[in-house]
Amino acid sequence: MSLAQFNLPDVGEGLTEAEIVSWKVAPGDSVSVNQVICEIETAKSIVELPCPFAGVVEELLVQEGDTVEVGKPIISVQAEGNILVAGPTTTSIPLVPESSSTHQAVADVAASVASGENGPNLVGYGSSAHGGTRRRRGAGINAPAVIPAASTSMPISPVVVSSASTDIIAKPPIRKLAKDLNVDLSKVQASGLAGEITREDVVSAASQASVFRNLTTPAAPSAREERIPVKGVRKAIATAMVQSAFTAPHVSIFVDIDATRTMEYVKRLKASTDFAGVKVTPLLLMAKAMMWAVRRNPTVNSTWTDKEIIVHNFVNFGVAAATPRGLIVPNIKDADQMSMLELAKALEQLASTAREGKTTPEDMKDGTITITNIGVFGVDTGTPILNPGQVAIVALGSIRPKPWVVNNEIVIRQVTTIGATFDHRVVDGDVASRFVQDVASVIEEPALLLD
């Protein structure tokens, strides 16, 4: 055996430094090839680093919370073989591949869930009070198994079978919701078609079901002030927002919408067997409405450069997501080519991944237009700042029963307000107005999507 050092690799494009969030190993621990040894936070996301060699940990060369430059050694290992240094500054470390035994375990669990049943039920998909969960170590069927996507081009939301109780079937977002509301899942009656616990089951069992508001008031802190280091995601957010606000001339417009038919359509989709086990919210219809409006007003799906305006004929649909470490905007690639069901699954997967802190830099690259769903916090509307590189962002407000005039009579309807911000260098007032009105038309009458 020889002493080997592992240098911090460039896990993204142009990464210069990263913060050590947590160590998964300690001196004296045995490590194997591709075993996760630590989590690091880059300017965009949290990434797990696998060990490139097997051996025994000699020393942790940096501590949790330290910011380390790419290429600097972070751990030394008494390694098998003659490798002395791994992780040069010019290489990236691959993700941990699944073993054949893991794939077999996943297949077995998937088959057991599917057999004997008739079918499966960023903001905007849940609270973001704390960080994500991690897979437990160990092998075999008793470990939590994640059912992977059936298609490489379409991410499918994971279903987790807990090793603690094989009778409880609930997705990670549902477990997160239950934890926030102090709900014991073992006492919840599952109503899902595949025997899984749904969001409605958790909410109905909760003593307080307002997950998008502060559930408790914390005790007054003893210190007079708190100093939070500006680094990682927070620093990246600040840089991007200042760049956007002081580079692109922002203009915002608003419109009130009767969303009653959208809410009825959402209800029908939830009851459909095709959408069994899939989370369906008004955000899904809003996403479809925006992409329909983009097709009619393509300049809102553009990028400004000093020499030319690049109009994208595809939609990488960004969703602003609140995470424990700040705001991120992952996007769904080629969302305009997806069916309603595919988009619903992609939105659910995107939100789940963001809350767990597993969003990758690739997930946040090349977005073309963004939505921020502030309505889940009970907010009516807002004036969002453009995501750098884009020329349009839409804010979806809360949907509430309000008086509305229909055929010269005042009736109670489900009403919402959308606000949209545009880069006035690219989007003129008439185009912005038509785009917002097109979005409003679909929310008022979802049947337009059949066009």
Side-chain angles (χ1 to χ4, degrees):
M1 299 181 72
S2 58
L3 185 62
Q5 288 187 338
F6 179 31
N7 295 342
L8 179 66
D10 180 358
V11 295
E13 295 184 356
L15 177 67
T16 59
E17 63 181 20
E19 178 188 346
I20 304 297
V21 176
S22 63
W23 282 106
K24 306 301 182 185
V25 294
D29 289 354
S30 296
V31 292
S32 57
V33 175
N34 282 340
Q35 177 181 332
V36 174
I37 56 174
C38 69
E39 286 183 338
I40 64 171
E41 180 186 14
T42 69
K44 294 184 177 181
S45 62
I46 291 182
V47 179
E48 292 180 339
L49 286 186
C51 186
F53 34 65
V56 178
V57 177
E58 177 74 16
E59 183 183 4
L60 304 181
L61 303 178
V62 291
Q63 304 300 314
E64 293 182 357
D66 288 353
T67 298
V68 185
E69 295 180 358
V70 170
K72 297 295 184 181
I74 60 175
I75 189 174
S76 60
V77 176
Q78 288 290 346
E80 301 172 358
N82 296 320
I83 299 177
L84 298 181
V85 179
T89 59
T90 56
T91 62
S92 297
I93 299 301
L95 297 177
V96 182
E98 300 291 346
S99 65
S100 58
S101 60
T102 302
H103 284 300
Q104 183 58 48
V106 168
D108 292 343
V109 173
S112 64
V113 172
S115 62
E117 303 291 348
N118 292 329
N121 143 37
L122 276 154
V123 180
Y125 274 81
S127 171
S128 57
H130 59 76
T133 58
R134 305 184 182 96
R135 292 184 293 176
R136 299 177 185 175
R137 295 175 183 173
I141 196 64
N142 291 328
V146 181
I147 298 177
S151 171
T152 56
S153 61
M154 179 59 236
I156 306 297
S157 56
V159 178
V160 173
V161 181
S162 171
S163 60
S165 174
T166 55
D167 294 329
I168 299 176
I169 303 177
K171 299 178 184 178
I174 304 304
R175 294 180 182 274
K176 170 69 170 59
L177 178 65
K179 184 175 182 179
D180 288 340
L181 298 180
N182 295 319
V183 173
D184 185 353
L185 289 179
S186 64
K187 299 179 181 179
V188 175
Q189 181 67 37
S191 64
L193 296 181
E196 76 278 10
I197 295 174
T198 66
R199 182 181 186 278
E200 289 72 19
D201 297 335
V202 174
V203 170
S204 63
S207 57
Q208 282 185 295
S210 185
V211 71
F212 301 118
R213 295 176 176 83
N214 293 327
L215 296 179
T216 59
T217 302
S222 56
R224 289 180 62 84
E225 61 185 15
E226 179 184 4
R227 294 179 182 268
I228 302 174
V230 179
K231 58 184 180 179
V233 174
R234 177 50 56 191
K235 186 175 182 179
I237 292 172
T239 302
M241 292 299 97
V242 170
Q243 175 190 348
S244 177
F246 291 97
T247 301
H250 286 49
V251 59
S252 299
I253 56 178
F254 311 90
V255 64
D256 294 332
I257 307 172
D258 178 3
T260 303
R261 289 183 177 176
T262 282
M263 298 306 290
E264 293 172 350
Y265 187 38
V266 167
K267 185 177 181 179
R268 289 199 299 271
L269 289 179
K270 287 182 177 181
S272 169
T273 55
D274 291 337
F275 285 78
V278 179
K279 186 176 183 64
V280 179
T281 73
L283 181 64
L284 172 62
L285 271 295
M286 187 66 183
K288 274 293 186 182
M290 287 177 60
M291 284 180 277
W292 184 79
V294 162
R295 192 167 74 247
R296 295 161 62 91
N297 307 274
T299 55
V300 303
N301 192 52
S302 302
T303 298
W304 166 273
T305 70
D306 290 334
K307 295 183 178 180
E308 59 185 356
I309 297 171
I310 305 172
V311 180
H312 306 294
N313 295 321
F314 58 90
V315 178
N316 289 347
F317 191 77
V319 181
T323 73
R325 295 181 176 271
L327 178 71
I328 62 174
V329 188
N331 64 80
I332 300 170
K333 304 294 191 290
D334 295 316
D336 56 315
Q337 301 299 316
M338 294 181 179
S339 67
M340 187 78 75
L341 178 59
E342 290 172 335
L343 184 60
K345 292 177 179 179
L347 285 169
E348 186 174 11
Q349 180 62 50
L350 177 146
S352 175
T353 302
R355 278 197 307 272
E356 293 174 2
K358 303 302 182 184
T359 302
T360 66
E362 182 66 25
D363 294 333
M364 291 181 278
K365 283 178 51 181
D366 303 327
T368 62
I369 193 169
T370 295
I371 186 171
T372 175
N373 187 6
I374 56 178
V376 296
F377 301 104
V379 177
D380 289 332
T381 190
T383 55
I385 295 179
L386 292 168
N387 200 31
Q390 301 176 20
V391 301
I393 182 172
V394 177
L396 173 61
S398 60
I399 302 177
R400 327 170 181 264
K402 291 183 180 180
W404 194 262
V405 177
V406 178
N407 297 327
N408 294 323
E409 293 184 357
I410 298 177
V411 296
I412 301 300
R413 305 286 283 181
Q414 297 290 330
V415 178
T416 188
T417 302
I418 63 172
T421 298
F422 303 91
D423 185 339
H424 220 337
R425 295 174 299 181
V426 178
V427 184
D428 295 330
D430 60 329
V431 177
S433 299
R434 288 199 299 268
F435 171 78
V436 171
Q437 188 54 48
D438 283 341
V439 173
S441 297
V442 173
I443 299 301
E444 290 181 346
E445 181 49 81
L448 287 174
L449 293 175
L450 299 176
D451 179 14

